[in-house]
Amino acid sequence: MFLYTVAQIKSLLDVPDSAYHPSAHIRPHTMRAFLVLLYGTGLRPGEAMKLMRSDVDLDQAVLTVRNTKFFKSRLVPIGPELTRFLSAYDGKCPQQTPLASDQPFLRCRLGKPLKIDAADSVFQ
């Protein structure tokens, strides 16, 4: 485990879109949302990747993390800044139709859930 400072996280978020490979499975705004979600909640990467749209209640500012370690579920409250950030992410994702509640909140270019190897590759 490695703990990042606020300055280190800010520098990761400031990486310009042009630094991302154009064919990467994860769009820059999705990678930023993933990093901010991890930093702002303490979720494990796999927990964040498994969040469905129905698990992210931005009106109530709470995440429902299902079937985690030891098959437990929990509610994770989120603060107003993180709520605004996730709302902005949710609003800028390209969608032909409204996002269904059973679709992943963090999506790769093909609309599928993020995978740890793809996120790791983009992060590197």
Side-chain angles (χ1 to χ4, degrees):
M1 179 194 301
F2 183 84
L3 297 177
Y4 288 90
T5 66
V6 172
Q8 289 170 320
I9 290 294
K10 284 182 179 180
S11 70
L12 288 170
L13 298 177
D14 288 340
V15 172
D17 289 0
S18 61
Y20 286 78
H21 193 280
S23 65
H25 290 289
I26 302 173
R27 291 182 177 94
H29 67 275
T30 300
M31 192 65 184
R32 287 184 193 99
F34 177 59
L35 293 172
V36 170
L37 185 60
L38 295 179
Y39 191 79
T41 62
L43 292 179
R44 296 175 186 93
E47 292 173 336
M49 291 176 177
K50 290 178 188 172
L51 286 173
M52 296 305 210
R53 184 63 191 89
S54 60
D55 297 328
V56 180
D57 186 342
L58 297 171
D59 293 328
Q60 297 297 314
V62 67
L63 307 176
T64 302
V65 183
R66 301 177 192 282
N67 301 319
T68 65
K69 200 170 187 179
F70 306 115
F71 308 103
K72 295 182 179 182
S73 297
R74 68 184 189 279
L75 298 176
V76 177
I78 56 177
E81 286 184 60
L82 181 54
T83 301
R84 281 190 296 278
F85 187 91
L86 294 177
S87 293
Y89 163 76
D90 197 34
K92 76 167 67 165
C93 289
Q95 303 165 15
Q96 281 76 20
T97 59
L99 191 60
S101 62
D102 65 342
Q103 293 195 290
F105 184 71
L106 297 169
R107 305 171 287 289
C108 69
R109 288 186 188 275
L110 301 175
K112 305 225 185 269
L114 296 186
K115 300 286 185 200
I116 195 71
D117 57 336
D120 190 45
S121 174
V122 170
F123 184 80
Q124 303 257 348

